[in-house]
Amino acid sequence: MEKEINILGIESSCDETAASVVRNGTEVLSNVVSTQIAIHRKFGGVVPEIASRKHIAHIMPVIDKALQDAGLPLEQIDAIAVTYGPGLVGALLVGLSAAKGLAFGTGKPLIGVNHLEGHVFANFLADRELKPPFLALVVSGGHTSLLVVEDYRTFRLLGQTRDDAAGEAFDKIARFMGLPYPGGPEIEKLALSGNPSAIDFPRPLLPDCYDFSFSGLKSAVINYVHTEEQRGTELNRADVAASFQQAIVDVLVKRCQEALKATGLSRIVLAGGVSANRHLQEALAGGARAVGAELVHPTPILCTDNAVMVAVRGYYQYLDHDFAGLWLNADPNLKLGEK
Ligand code: KG4
Ligand code: ZN
């Protein structure tokens, strides 16, 4: 029988303190997430200093619980995988320091995981048959990137946002409309009772590239609301939310279809917090099917930040002997595919 590989994953890049044990990259033995959303909601967004302090308070209990839930003592862990970027530097440092301490104390290998690659790798749990090459759309609070996953270690970036990330646009418009943080799920909820074609917001598509730009759309929504207010028209908030969401989804789907056609790939995966959006999932599944491809997306719990994805990414790095030294530092601006 082949040796079982148990990876402890640790994640603290933003406002979730998380730890998980995953066996052989597929079997989730535990998944502990301590979220700070309720705390940051009071401020309308993540306050980095508060996030770091809360991570410090939660990191060890979260790791202990992940080991306990998995029923494994630390000695039976084969490697410790931790997110070292991108993210908030103070937040990243908490998980990273805990991981380094554990690696040093136990002599187990340390694996530095790119958070964005983690999001992409969550899809290996959603579809056990999934194998590279495939296309990936990463849509989170800080990123909107379209890339080809060539193999388990090679990522070729096709395009990314030039200004706001998709999640950031959701959060900013939600905040503008007085909805709580995080805005994505709130807009999605409000949009359910709205008409997505009520308002014709712009669908910004930059020519001759796969890049995105959402700041013009954001301004268009804000201008629309201001103009309606000045006219004294009663605003249909659900229509605004639905039309805004539709504009973002249309742009994402169109770009993905173009990339699928150009690359000839037959699979596309969704990754990052915005991948939890049901409307995006359905529209992209339909868009992919229309060009002969199939969509894979993570289960809801693995769409937003978690440590399962870190352990899964770490597993493939373990197989590659892609280990980090104890000098590994946090890299808040780490890019996809970068070391
Ligand atoms: O990946 P994630 O949890 O954290 C980052 O790495 O950024 O993504 C968070 C982002 C936030 O902008 C949040 O509003 C967005 O994902 N989000 C959603 C939904 N759920 C989370 N956006 C649209 N619809 C959703 N259902
Ligand atoms: Zn994330």
Side-chain angles (χ1 to χ4, degrees):
M1 204 178 87
E2 257 182 60
K3 182 180 167 350
E4 286 174 345
I5 308 293
N6 297 307
I7 307 281
L8 170 65
I10 299 175
E11 156 66 38
S12 70
S13 65
C14 191
D15 58 349
E16 261 92 35
T17 321
S20 156
V21 179
V22 177
R23 180 169 289 164
N24 295 338
T26 50
E27 205 184 323
V28 180
L29 302 187
S30 62
N31 178 18
V32 182
V33 182
S34 166
T35 181
Q36 306 172 9
I37 284 180
I39 297 161
H40 298 289
R41 186 165 276 170
K42 288 180 224 150
F43 304 96
V46 178
V47 183
E49 185 57 30
I50 295 177
S52 311
R53 285 165 193 239
K54 293 291 167 192
H55 283 310
I56 292 171
H58 292 137
I59 192 80
M60 292 319 293
V62 163
I63 293 173
D64 281 343
K65 180 144 184 10
L67 291 168
Q68 244 171 41
D69 288 359
L72 287 184
L74 198 49
E75 298 77 63
Q76 285 184 34
I77 294 295
D78 294 279
I80 297 153
V82 61
T83 299
Y84 74 106
L88 302 167
V89 68
L92 287 164
L93 280 170
V94 178
L96 186 57
S97 306
K100 286 204 253 184
L102 291 176
F104 181 66
T106 59
K108 308 276 181 196
L110 178 72
I111 298 172
V113 170
N114 180 316
H115 180 85
L116 301 171
E117 294 172 12
H119 272 303
V120 171
F121 275 55
N123 284 288
F124 289 118
L125 294 180
D127 180 356
R128 301 291 162 95
E129 306 295 310
L130 180 67
K131 287 195 174 51
F134 53 80
L135 195 69
L137 175 68
V138 180
V139 270
S140 71
H143 296 83
T144 302
S145 308
L146 192 55
L147 59 136
V148 179
V149 178
E150 309 260 19
D151 55 38
Y152 294 96
R153 64 190 78 85
T154 318
F155 310 92
R156 181 162 54 89
L157 189 68
L158 297 181
Q160 58 192 331
T161 183
R162 298 210 183 158
D163 40 60
D164 290 350
E168 192 180 356
F170 270 103
D171 291 340
K172 285 181 176 168
I173 290 301
R175 193 174 174 163
F176 170 71
M177 293 176 73
L179 296 167
Y181 173 84
E186 298 293 329
I187 296 268
E188 181 176 17
K189 227 186 294 165
L190 185 58
L192 285 175
S193 51
N195 174 4
S197 38
I199 310 150
D200 189 19
F201 289 130
R203 268 89 172 138
L205 279 162
L206 300 161
D208 307 322
C209 68
Y210 291 106
D211 282 352
F212 301 91
S213 166
F214 292 115
S215 70
L217 169 62
K218 183 188 64 189
S219 306
V221 176
I222 293 171
N223 287 343
Y224 173 84
V225 171
H226 281 155
T227 309
E228 293 302 294
E229 277 169 0
Q230 274 160 12
R231 281 194 191 136
T233 323
E234 198 182 330
L235 198 67
N236 186 327
R237 290 162 57 79
D239 281 354
V240 175
S243 301
F244 161 70
Q245 177 176 264
Q246 189 63 48
I248 292 209
V249 166
D250 282 352
V251 169
L252 294 173
V253 171
K254 180 114 200 317
R255 274 279 123 100
C256 290
Q257 284 184 311
E258 288 167 359
L260 283 167
K261 280 196 257 176
T263 57
L265 293 166
S266 59
R267 286 276 174 98
I268 174 164
V269 310
L270 248 185
V274 184
S275 66
N277 188 288
R278 292 284 301 274
H279 184 53
L280 173 60
Q281 290 173 1
E282 282 160 21
L284 191 52
R289 237 177 284 124
V291 293
E294 199 190 317
L295 172 73
V296 178
H297 63 79
T299 51
I301 194 160
L302 296 186
C303 285
T304 46
D305 290 349
N306 64 85
V308 172
M309 66 187 204
V310 178
V312 173
R313 176 68 191 110
Y315 170 74
Y316 289 95
Q317 290 177 253
Y318 182 94
L319 297 182
D320 273 352
H321 300 282
D322 178 9
F323 300 122
L326 289 175
W327 53 84
L328 179 68
N329 203 354
D331 185 346
N333 300 313
L334 187 66
K335 305 278 182 303
L336 257 159
E338 215 180 60
K339 284 277 165 224

